[in-house]
């Protein structure tokens, strides 16, 4: 076999260039930590990376929804709790006022306190959150209850996706908690109680006191609904965290280098290049000695 | 049988001439060791038979040019395949860079931000900033589609200009080969050495094979017939002219005309070389990417518009699209609907006229995980991932082919070099051999001179 000089030189140059090229690619990967320089490096993993990253970002979006939902639900829970405290205090007044030994002045004071509690209850039912009124359904820009206790919201549930298969209602129902839709019209009940206390109508006071117990339970049911939604938010939060770890791992597997593998490749290529250069030098020296020595 | 003493003089003279010529050939080989396209020469030294009419001795039968047509044709073939694959891969590089989400380009981020904006709006449906955020994210996504389309269009336009440059080179090469055909034919018919002309023609042929696939046939008179994709480029001393333009669909349209004749369509479907690779990248790969991008833009616009039009803006109006899109134009036509641009209150969030409703915003955010693309079989991001994966596969295949064909071409080249290449080792040996033979011939002349002197002195 004849070996021409140009063929010999071309081979030396092409071998070295090829090794240089490989070393540059592997060095780039080692320094950036990214295995997917361009999609053609590994098209299957490039597509997998996009899907995984899409999932991670979607889960991060759910994280925002979870924070928003939790914020609104906690506020609703607190407001319902306040409302229950107010109703409980009103019921205590009703129980005391049912005792006929109180004077007219005492009853007047009871009636005045009931009026104040009613105002507090209106305030609790008209609680505002970061995104408007909490208990007016989708009517978030108008107070759900007028000062007369008339409900002017709607029963539309506002909900958020907190994971791919779970939607939570983030607003407690004002209608269910405070109006006859839930059983008792709580504000009308307080108005009646104030009148009954003022007129010393013992039987009415007793009856209204019993109905206040129902109203307390009615708000408790609405509060329970909110608590249930909070539990679901917590479940979604835990699932979201686990899923995010899983997808982040897959995203990393699809796009990031295996440091041990890459450094080992780099080291092997550098050794090969050194050997190749040494072999080339030997060849060139031998040729020079033979021809011109 | 008496021998004329003078014969020895002529034998010595011819031997010196022959070895000097052989030294000259060796010198030519050494001088051209690094000349591209140079095929080594060998002096064909022949013994001249000693007869009654001839004094014998030595002569040069000719200068042999080492060539291996079979290997050369094979090299033209694989080199064309290598350059086609390399050109295809290189042409796709800017497109791949436009869809390289791992490095921050591409549409994935824009799509996610768009759906995140609806997620934020679902949580705060009455928040004007969140509404404006949707329009900003929609515009960013539209910009991403426009940028990708622009990259495709610009690259395709660049490739047309490049194809025109290649055809110009091919035409120049074809013309030069045709001219060389004439010169070679004349030289050979006059019994002259045409090696330099043949070197030049082979070099042009190799250059041409990198530009377009060529099939070569040699005529008995030494001229070449060069064809590409089964159509004639060079016929003896006549070269045809290749041209390229765009057809009605925007694909490359090649035409070929011979000596001023009406240009005829040139079938490019099996074309190789740079031109073939470029055509494959431009009219097959990029066309597929463009098609996928148009489909994705259409799917996005349809899915978003269907939901958006069913909802109400905070101004209580329904029935408005978020995007405008013209399916006959494709992704380039995707835009935020002019009715919505600059009007955040027109972004639909609610399924009723109440301002705090978020049903539509929530459904729009949820589109991210809904199979609303490719006829309801994939999510939008999956469809986009397929586009990127397909593009990556196409370029990976092209670069892989280029590596394989390149290695094969290098092997064939080495095989050809075995025949045609100059080995300095071999030439150094020849140099010594012919030098010694020349010295010996001189000695022969000196010996003749001494013999002649002896004869003269005897008288």
């Amino acid at each position: 076999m004849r070996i021409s000089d140009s063929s010999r030189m071309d081979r030396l140059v092409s071998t070295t260039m090829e090794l240089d090229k490989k070393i540059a690619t592997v060095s780039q990967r080692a320094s950036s930590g990214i295995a997917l320089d361009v999609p053609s490096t590994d098209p299957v993993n490039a597509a997998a990376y996009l899907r995984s990253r899409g999932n991670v970002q979607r889960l991060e979006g759910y994280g925002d929804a979870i924070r928003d939902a939790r914020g609104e639900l906690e506020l609703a829970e607190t407001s319902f709790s306040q409302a229950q405290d107010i109703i409980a205090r009103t019921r205590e007044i009703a129980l005391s006022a049912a005792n006929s030994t109180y004077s007219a002045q005492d009853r007047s004071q009871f009636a005045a306190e009931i009026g104040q509690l009613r105002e507090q209850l209106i305030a609790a039912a008209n609680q505002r959150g970061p995104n408007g009124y909490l208990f007016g359904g989708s009517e978030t820009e108008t107070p759900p209850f007028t000062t007369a206790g008339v409900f002017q919201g709607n029963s539309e549930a506002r909900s958020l996706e907190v994971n791919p298969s779970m939607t939570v209602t983030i607003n407690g129902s004002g209608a269910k908690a405070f109006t006859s839709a839930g059983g008792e019209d709580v504000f009308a009940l307080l108005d009646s109680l104030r009148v009954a206390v003022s007129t010393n109508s013992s039987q009415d006071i007793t009856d209204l006191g019993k109905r206040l117990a129902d109203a307390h339970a009615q708000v408790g049911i609405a509060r329970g609904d909110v608590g249930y939604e909070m539990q679901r938010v917590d479940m979604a939060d835990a699932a979201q965290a686990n899923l995010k770890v899983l997808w982040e791992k897959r995203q990393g597997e699809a796009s990031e280098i295996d440091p041990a593998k890459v450094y080992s490749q780099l080291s092997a290529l550098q050794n090969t290049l050194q050997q190749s250069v040494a072999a080339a030098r030997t060849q060139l020296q031998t040729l020079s000695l033979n021809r011109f020595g | 049988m008496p021998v004329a003493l003078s014969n020895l003089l002529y034998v010595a003279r011819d031997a010196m001439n022959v070895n000097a010529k052989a030294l000259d050939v060796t010198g030519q080989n050494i001088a051209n060791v690094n000349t591209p396209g140079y095929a080594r020469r060998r002096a064909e030294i022949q013994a001249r038979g000693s007869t009654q009419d001839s004094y014998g001795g030595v002569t040069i039968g000719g200068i042999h040019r080492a060539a291996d047509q079979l290997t050369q044709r094979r090299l033209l073939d694989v080199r064309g395949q290598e350059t086609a694959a390399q050109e295809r891969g290189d042409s796709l590089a800017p497109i791949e860079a436009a869809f390289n989400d791992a490095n921050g380009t591409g549409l994935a981020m824009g799509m996610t931000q768009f759906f995140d904006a609806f997620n934020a709006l679902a949580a705060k449906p009455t928040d004007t900033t969140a509404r404006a955020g949707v329009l900003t994210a929609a515009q960013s996504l539209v910009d991403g589609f426009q940028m990708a389309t622009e990259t495709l269009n610009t690259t395709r336009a660049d490739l047309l200009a490049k194809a025109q440059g290649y055809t110009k080179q091919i035409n120049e090469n074809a013309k030069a080969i045709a001219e060389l055909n004439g010169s070679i034919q004349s030289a050979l018919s006059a019994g002259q050495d045409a090696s330099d002309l043949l070197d030049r023609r082979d070099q042009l042929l190799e250059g041409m094979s990198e530009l377009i696939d060529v099939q070569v046939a040699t005529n008995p008179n030494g001229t070449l017939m060069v064809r590409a994709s089964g159509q004639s480029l060079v016929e003896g001393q006549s070269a045809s002219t290749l041209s390229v333009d765009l057809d009605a669909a925007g694909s490359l349209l090649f035409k070929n005309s011979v000596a001023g004749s009406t240009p005829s369509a040139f079938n490019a479907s099996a074309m190789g070389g740079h031109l073939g690779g470029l055509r494959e990248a431009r009219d097959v790969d990029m066309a597929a990417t463009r098609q996928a991008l148009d489909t994705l833009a259409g799917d996005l616009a349809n899915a978003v518009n269907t939901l958006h039009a069913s909802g109400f803006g905070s101004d209580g109006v329904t029935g408005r699209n978020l995007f405008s899109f013209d399916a006959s134009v494709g992704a380039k036509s995707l835009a935020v609907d002019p009715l919505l641009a600059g009007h955040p209150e027109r972004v639909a969030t609610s399924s009723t006229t109440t301002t705090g409703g978020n049903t539509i915003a929530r459904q729009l955010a949820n589109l991210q995980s809904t199979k609303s693309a490719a006829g309801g079989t994939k999510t939008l991001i999956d469809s986009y991932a397929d586009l990127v994966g397909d593009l990556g596969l196409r370029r990976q295949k092209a670069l892989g082919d280029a590596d394989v064909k390149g290695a094969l071409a290098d092997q064939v080249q080495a095989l050809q070099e075995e025949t045609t290449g100059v080995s300095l080792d071999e030439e150094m040996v020849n140099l010594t051999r012919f030098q010694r033979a020349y010295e010996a011939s001189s000695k022969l002349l000196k010996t003749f001179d001494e013999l002649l002197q002896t004869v003269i002195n005897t008288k």
Side-chain angles (χ1 to χ4, degrees), chain A residues 34 40 42 50 52 101-102 116 139 149 152 181 218 220 224 226 230 232 239-240 264 293:
Chain A
I34 295 173
S40 58
D42 188 345
L50 280 175
S52 305
T101 57
Y102 284 103
Q116 286 168 2
E139 201 59 75
Q152 51 187 2
Q218 177 179 319
V226 168
M230 277 182 73
R232 297 178 71 219
Q240 185 252 7
S264 145

Side-chain angles (χ1 to χ4, degrees), chain B residues 34 156 172 179 196 233 244 261-262 311 322 344 364 406 411 429:
Chain B
N34 291 320
R156 293 187 87 208
E172 282 168 5
E179 284 170 4
D196 289 340
L233 288 180
V244 60
S261 66
T262 308
L322 178 55
L364 281 164
Q411 282 177 24
V429 170

Side-chain angles (χ1 to χ4, degrees), chain B residues 72-82 209 213-214:
Chain B
Q72 188 210 21
R73 304 286 150 85
R74 177 78 183 122
L75 182 61
L76 296 179
D77 190 30
V78 291
R79 198 58 90 190
Q81 291 171 15
E82 179 203 359
S209 77
D213 59 304
V214 289

Side-chain angles (χ1 to χ4, degrees), chain A residues 25-219:
Chain A
T25 307
V26 177
S27 298
Q28 162 73 17
R29 283 179 197 160
S31 60
S32 68
I34 295 173
L36 286 170
D37 338 348
V38 284
S40 58
T41 308
D42 188 345
V44 175
N45 263 332
Y49 164 77
L50 280 175
R51 291 190 180 96
S52 305
R53 198 174 81 157
N55 282 322
V56 169
Q57 285 171 338
R58 193 155 54 97
L59 288 169
E60 282 169 355
Y62 287 134
D64 293 340
I66 285 169
R67 269 192 301 281
D68 287 332
R70 188 175 278 137
E72 296 229 2
L73 287 169
E74 281 174 354
L75 208 51
E77 208 275 340
T78 306
S79 298
F80 281 143
S81 170
Q82 283 173 355
Q84 279 191 300
D85 290 346
I86 291 165
I87 294 169
R89 172 63 192 144
T90 312
R91 193 167 167 243
E92 282 170 17
I93 293 170
L95 287 173
S96 300
N99 187 337
S100 59
T101 57
Y102 284 103
S103 67
Q105 190 183 354
D106 290 338
R107 285 197 298 276
S108 174
Q109 280 177 354
F110 282 143
E113 190 178 352
I114 292 168
Q116 286 168 2
L117 288 169
R118 183 184 179 282
E119 282 176 16
Q120 288 174 23
L121 192 61
I122 290 276
N126 283 340
Q127 177 66 51
R128 271 187 80 97
N131 303 307
Y133 292 99
L134 292 180
F135 303 125
S138 63
E139 201 59 75
T140 54
E141 295 301 289
T142 311
F145 293 93
T146 64
T147 49
V150 177
F151 182 64
Q152 51 187 2
N154 59 41
S155 57
E156 193 178 329
R158 284 195 298 120
S159 45
L160 286 178
E161 305 277 341
V162 288
N163 87 16
S165 57
M166 192 186 289
T167 302
V168 295
T169 302
I170 57 170
N171 59 326
S173 170
K176 202 173 161 187
F178 302 111
T179 73
S180 55
E184 290 286 356
D185 183 336
V186 182
F187 298 109
L189 201 59
L190 262 64
D191 286 338
S192 302
L193 182 65
R194 192 172 50 183
V195 172
V197 168
S198 298
T199 58
N200 195 19
S201 173
S202 299
Q203 187 55 49
D204 285 352
I205 293 171
T206 305
D207 291 346
L208 288 167
K210 286 178 185 166
R211 287 173 66 191
L212 274 174
D214 294 340
H216 188 273
Q218 177 179 319
V219 174

Side-chain angles (χ1 to χ4, degrees), chain B residues 64-380:
Chain B
H64 173 77
R65 177 176 173 270
D68 177 355
Q69 279 195 355
L70 196 66
T71 311
Q72 188 210 21
R73 304 286 150 85
R74 177 78 183 122
L75 182 61
L76 296 179
D77 190 30
V78 291
R79 198 58 90 190
Q81 291 171 15
E82 179 203 359
T83 53
Q86 191 64 51
E87 179 75 43
R88 183 184 173 201
D90 291 347
S91 299
L92 290 174
I95 308 301
E96 192 181 35
F99 293 102
N100 193 2
D101 292 85
N103 276 356
T105 59
L107 299 174
M109 181 66 84
M111 287 171 81
T112 309
Q113 284 174 346
F114 174 69
F115 292 116
D116 279 352
F118 269 112
N119 226 356
L121 184 58
K124 301 173 177 62
T126 56
D127 185 350
T128 310
T129 309
R131 287 177 171 276
V134 166
L135 288 182
T136 305
Q139 187 57 52
S140 291
L141 182 54
V142 165
D143 290 346
F145 272 97
Q146 297 289 355
M147 210 178 297
T149 310
E150 189 58 30
T151 304
L152 276 165
N153 289 347
T154 308
T155 308
R156 293 187 87 208
D158 288 348
L159 290 180
L160 169 63
K162 203 173 178 185
Q164 286 166 335
Y166 283 148
T167 51
K168 194 175 170 195
Q169 271 181 277
I170 290 167
N171 292 337
E172 282 168 5
N173 277 14
K175 193 176 165 199
I177 289 172
E179 284 170 4
L180 281 167
N181 270 347
S183 305
I184 288 166
Q185 186 180 359
S186 303
L188 292 177
S189 59
Q192 295 166 351
D193 177 22
S195 297
D196 289 340
L197 298 171
L198 290 167
D199 280 351
R200 176 80 189 117
R201 191 175 68 181
D202 282 354
Q203 208 180 346
L204 284 169
L205 210 51
E206 276 185 35
M208 204 167 182
S209 77
E210 290 180 5
L211 296 169
I212 192 168
D213 59 304
V214 289
Q215 300 90 46
V216 182
T218 310
N219 294 316
N221 60 8
T223 61
L224 280 186
M225 196 163 67
V226 183
R227 298 170 79 83
S229 298
Q231 293 142 103
S232 174
L233 288 180
V234 180
E235 194 87 49
Q237 295 177 49
S238 162
S240 60
T241 306
L242 192 64
S243 63
V244 60
D245 213 326
L246 296 180
D247 64 12
S251 299
L252 297 178
L253 175 67
F254 294 92
K255 286 186 176 173
N256 194 28
S257 66
V258 183
S261 66
T262 308
S264 58
F266 189 89
N267 179 14
S269 59
M271 195 182 265
H274 283 294
L275 207 52
L278 181 150
R279 192 200 67 83
E280 178 90 358
R282 186 185 183 282
D283 293 343
V284 179
D285 300 325
M286 289 185 204
T289 303
R290 175 71 189 270
Q291 175 67 45
L293 191 67
D294 289 347
T295 305
L296 181 64
D299 286 344
L300 171 78
N302 286 338
V304 170
N305 285 344
T306 302
L307 277 173
H308 193 270
S310 71
F312 290 81
S314 62
D315 58 356
V317 178
T318 186
R320 286 187 291 229
N321 286 337
L322 178 55
F323 291 116
S324 61
F325 179 74
D326 182 347
S328 66
V329 178
K332 190 177 166 57
S333 69
L334 185 72
V336 173
D337 195 286
L339 274 177
L340 263 80
H343 291 282
E345 77 281 3
R346 295 180 181 174
V347 174
T349 52
S350 175
S351 57
T352 64
T353 52
T354 53
T355 51
N358 71 351
T359 311
I360 297 299
R362 197 161 43 77
Q363 288 175 355
L364 281 164
N366 208 28
L367 263 185
Q368 192 173 11
S369 49
T370 307
K371 288 184 176 174
S372 53
T377 58
K378 291 171 187 166
T379 64
L380 289 162

